[in-house]
């Protein structure tokens, strides 16, 4: 249940701070702790402000991943979030995007 809610927040571009509050009412463990979720949200906000093109491209890849789904749906929002966590560290935003985009060539994607 929690992964479905997380997926809705990620795909719907909803504020993960709200998700942090909501999941406290659910007796289920999530993949990320509260601090990490807030960092993902902050990175998304910063990315949208500083590089809206990469922000949009990241979401386009995410939607393509779901469209090409072959049964690994739990991983898709988690992979997206992990890529967002890498933003604003040592690598360029473009290189992180390209690395994330390579997920479309994964064996679990039906349209390569």
């Amino acid at each position: 249940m929690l992964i479905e809610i997380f997926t809705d927040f990620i795909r719907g571009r909803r504020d993960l701070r709200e998700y942090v509050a909501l999941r406290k009412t659910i007796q289920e463990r999530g993949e990320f702790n509260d601090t990490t979720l807030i960092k993902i949200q902050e990175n998304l906000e910063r990315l949208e402000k500083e590089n809206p093109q990469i922000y949009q491209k990241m979401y386009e890849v995410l939607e393509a991943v779901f469209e090409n789904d072959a049964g690994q749906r739990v991983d898709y929002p988690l992979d997206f979030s992990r890529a967002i966590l890498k933003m604003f560290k040592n690598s360029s935003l473009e290189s992180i995007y390209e690395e994330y985009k390579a997920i479309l060539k994964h064996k679990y994607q039906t349209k390569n």
Side-chain angles (χ1 to χ4, degrees), residues 41-64:
Q41 182 62 41
E42 289 170 348
N43 281 3
L44 283 167
E45 291 168 355
R46 183 175 172 191
L47 183 63
E48 183 178 28
K49 182 178 180 182
E50 294 180 14
N51 197 321
Q53 298 86 4
I54 296 290
Y55 175 85
Q56 188 60 36
K57 287 180 181 181
M58 290 293 289
Y59 275 104
E60 288 169 5
V61 170
L62 176 65
E63 290 309 313

Side-chain angles (χ1 to χ4, degrees), residues 39 43 46 85-93 96:
K39 180 65 176 169
N43 281 3
R46 183 175 172 191
L85 279 172
K86 293 178 185 177
M87 300 278 177
F88 308 108
K89 289 191 176 177
N90 296 328
S91 301
S92 73
L93 298 176
I96 294 167

Side-chain angles (χ1 to χ4, degrees), residues 14-75:
R14 294 176 58 194
D15 193 320
L16 292 176
R17 293 174 195 96
E18 293 174 24
Y19 172 75
V20 167
L22 175 65
R23 80 175 190 170
K24 290 177 193 242
T25 67
I26 301 170
Q27 297 299 320
E28 194 174 328
R29 247 184 96 162
E31 179 73 17
F32 303 109
N33 65 35
D34 293 354
T35 303
T36 302
L37 288 164
I38 291 168
K39 180 65 176 169
I40 293 166
Q41 182 62 41
E42 289 170 348
N43 281 3
L44 283 167
E45 291 168 355
R46 183 175 172 191
L47 183 63
E48 183 178 28
K49 182 178 180 182
E50 294 180 14
N51 197 321
Q53 298 86 4
I54 296 290
Y55 175 85
Q56 188 60 36
K57 287 180 181 181
M58 290 293 289
Y59 275 104
E60 288 169 5
V61 170
L62 176 65
E63 290 309 313
V65 165
F66 272 95
E67 182 180 307
N68 300 341
D69 178 44
Q72 301 296 314
R73 295 180 72 83
V74 168
D75 293 334

